[in-house]
Amino acid sequence: MTQQDMTGAKALWATLVRHGISTVFGYPGGAIMPVYDALTFYPEVRHVLARHEQGAIHAAEGWAKATGEIGVCLATSGPGATNLVTGLADAMMDSVPLLAITGNVARHLMGTDAFQEADITGITLPITKHNYVVRDVEELPQVIAEAIRIARSGRPGPVLVDIPKDIQLAPYHGEITAPHARPEAPAPAPEATERARELLRGAKKPVILVGGGSLDAAAEITALARAWDIPVITTLMGLGAFPASDPLWLGMPGMHGSVAANRAISEADVLLGIGLRFDDRVTGRVSGFAPNAAIIHVELDAAEIGKIVRTHVPVRGDARVAARLLTEGAQKLDLPEWKAQIGEWKSRTRQPDHWGAAHAVQAVVGRLGPDDILSSDVGQHQMLAAQLARFERPRRWINSGGLGTMGFGFPAAIGAGMAEPGVRSVVIAGDGGFQMTAQELATLKMYDIRNVKICIINNSYLGMVRQWQEMFHERRYSEVWLGDSNPDFLKLADAYDVPGYRASSAEELPAAIDAWLADPRSSLLEVVVPHEHAVFPMVPAGAALNEMIEAEPPRAPRKEAKDA
Amino acid sequence: MTAPTSQDHPQRDHLVSALVRDEPRVLTRITSLFGRRGYNIRSLSVGSTEHPGVSRMTFVVTGDRGVVEQAMRQLEKLHDVIKIIDHSLEKYVDRELVLVKVAITPESRVEVRQIAEDFRARIVDVGRHALTFEVTGDEGKITAFIEQMRSFGILETMRTGRIALTRGSNADIPSHVYHGGETETLRPAVEGIEPREERARGVPNLF
Ligand SMILES: Cc1ncc(C[n+]2csc(CCOP(=O)(O)OP(=O)(O)O)c2C)c(N)n1
């Protein structure tokens, strides 16, 4: 392409190509048309047309979560841009590296309430790591390069670049900016790691608590735990950072955590937290969290240290480096009593026996191999999947942890599936959440995506909300019943040419799963389960981890809403 | 989440400066970060520095040490923030400018002028029923002046908010060249500012 032909829009694509971006998810519109026009000159980029900008951004997140690489999405100004808001907030909470590019009205119209103008940088200020309005075409490639660097460096996160339409059209004369080198993460201070080692050496009841910031340090953390022989707990975001098959693994902590994980944290005398931010769903009541433990906190983001829990030994730095340093000079701790106690707690894990959502989720996740990607939406099925799936390696579990975004799972599974076409990308969703982004079935059809396997756990309720109403609102079920208005999910899938399967009992389930997974195309399985089924164990909101309810309590009498 | 507080440390004012890139919305970015996390800014002043493209903000946040440290760490993460200086950790000079309009009568006129002289307050406007004074000084002096004038009747005041600089020949901005922490830079390097990766002197380095 000659220099004369270069426009802002082309410079944008050229920069993305230079950065190795192969796929972008998006939706066109007036204020980004020059970019879509320029796309036709860049056949090396695959653009995936979603059916809603929220679908596009969640797909980009799924891509990023599966690969660890940056996800890219594109939207027009105004409503297109505002439809990205939920995904940006989601990516911010879960530290997902993401680049969102939005068109905007021409510069001379900005601030005039022009057609489809929205102050998207103002709107997204608190939910992006950084954002830009490009005000000079000569800056565009540099801004994109810097946005990508910011999104990926330190604690990753979403960056939005808003490009006025006239800048997309303006001639561009400069160079195309090369990628920035990924900055080295800071190495922890030697005094800090030495103090941490000292604490570990003296520990009688140690545990390691691993969060989503540890996913790329799984090997080092596994070596660390085995060298010291310390049990490991992985948060919802950290699932897969330690192999579930290892006897040292205690499961997930927190609101729907395992008995062993929550009891071990409550009893621990030394807690080594790595790459986590002590979310309230993890800690329960903070004053009751690890009340007896000296806390070592390994974390890249200085602002997370001491934010929620008091830290005795702050270790600021990269999780991989820190884990390696803490493995040096490790000596196996000989703690038979602690091990025996943990063994007893672990034995309290119940396998789902009677027919219900837990049984169904168990049957599905039991069929996954170590390379399969499992995404989930948000609700009971998500917590069940997190409790029951066994992840052997990181980046195989994709869910919306921090924001808890319904509608996330299915498009994220599409993104993950497109990132790794050779791998099965399974999504478990509820009947409620699936309908928030069900239109993305069209995306499967349009690109003939063959590896996405959708499982809908249909309990005819907004199950998780119903569970809270059951437990905390005397079973006054207010606005959570979907049963009368749910679509026939198989017909819905069929309308998009996606094959569907259904099971309504424990007996039907295995064959249905077989058929669903054996189908060479992307396919949908609906599992119809009993309406009222709750997820346990559960730590009620505001309670401490050791105030966990381990099993389903007897039912409170059902009260009609009008009694209230 | 409410910002953590601890019983052992008293609530007090902390004087903090931030060197920030002079870009649109930088003020919003910073104030909204404070607002979102429930930290109240008691006073704020912003102005340009001797470095083109760099502004300096000085603000007073109330809270215990932990709260203020947390606020500063959150601030440090912002891409537009080049450096944070916590003045409470070093010797500093601070000033505030205030305009005070005091009601006068023929009887009080002389006395008001006399007090103003004691405070080295300058008269910047003379009305038939009021005098307007300009006072600069540290917060204590300004508060004392206002207290003295209260009995005569204060009609209006306007304070600029505090500004501060480190004492001595140490500059808050050491003579390093800012490269944005990268080999390649988007913005031209700002002469004279150390990279943000090297944590600002004055911010306690726990790590
Ligand atoms: C966008 C959004 N709206 C509302 C909620 C609140 N919410 C959390 S779980 C849940 C119910 C989910 O129901 P369903 O998708 O059927 O899954 P189930 O809990 O039954 O497995 C709701 C409404 C949410 N997390 N996200």
Side-chain angles (χ1 to χ4, degrees), chain B residues 5-166:
Chain B
T5 56
S6 80
Q7 254 45 46
D8 345 325
H9 300 291
Q11 299 271 319
R12 62 181 194 86
D13 286 351
H14 294 260
L15 188 61
V16 176
S17 289
L19 294 168
V20 299
R21 289 175 203 260
D22 179 18
E23 305 224 333
R25 276 202 228 278
V26 67
L27 190 60
T28 319
R29 250 180 238 286
I30 288 177
T31 50
S32 82
L33 186 147
F34 275 93
R36 193 160 82 243
R37 298 190 183 261
Y39 311 131
N40 194 20
I41 302 178
R42 276 222 311 121
S43 119
L44 173 69
S45 40
V46 192
S48 53
T49 65
E50 67 283 18
H51 299 278
V54 179
S55 298
R56 185 173 175 125
M57 313 174 60
T58 301
F59 38 83
V60 177
V61 217
T62 313
D64 70 29
R65 194 60 259 141
V67 166
V68 174
E69 235 171 60
Q70 172 61 215
M72 286 176 18
R73 287 194 199 152
Q74 296 289 349
L75 269 188
E76 265 210 316
K77 288 207 297 187
L78 295 179
H79 181 67
D80 291 327
V81 172
I82 299 163
K83 182 178 161 138
I84 308 262
I85 301 129
D86 180 352
H87 294 291
S88 68
L89 300 176
E90 50 190 79
K91 293 206 164 66
Y92 62 91
V93 281
D94 72 313
R95 285 291 178 273
E96 198 173 342
L97 167 68
V98 64
L99 295 175
V100 188
K101 193 183 286 175
V102 183
I104 47 162
T105 60
E107 297 74 47
S108 67
R109 190 182 185 95
V110 175
E111 199 185 340
V112 167
R113 293 184 76 125
Q114 184 57 50
I115 294 172
E117 233 166 76
D118 295 346
F119 278 89
R120 296 216 188 96
R122 290 202 320 147
I123 296 176
V124 291
D125 185 53
V126 180
R128 253 154 60 81
H129 304 293
L131 291 174
T132 304
F133 296 100
E134 169 198 313
V135 198
T136 27
D138 61 22
E139 208 185 18
K141 174 180 167 186
I142 286 168
T143 308
F145 179 75
I146 290 173
E147 281 313 308
Q148 289 285 315
M149 289 300 169
R150 206 176 287 285
S151 57
F152 302 103
I154 291 176
L155 301 176
E156 261 183 317
T157 60
M158 176 64 214
R159 301 171 77 140
T160 55
R162 290 164 77 183
I163 56 172
L165 278 183
T166 309

Side-chain angles (χ1 to χ4, degrees), chain A residues 232-255:
Chain A
V232 177
I233 296 163
T234 43
T235 69
L236 179 72
M237 298 307 296
L239 289 173
F242 187 79
S245 59
D246 193 299
L248 287 174
W249 188 62
L250 304 189
M252 173 175 86
M255 181 170 276

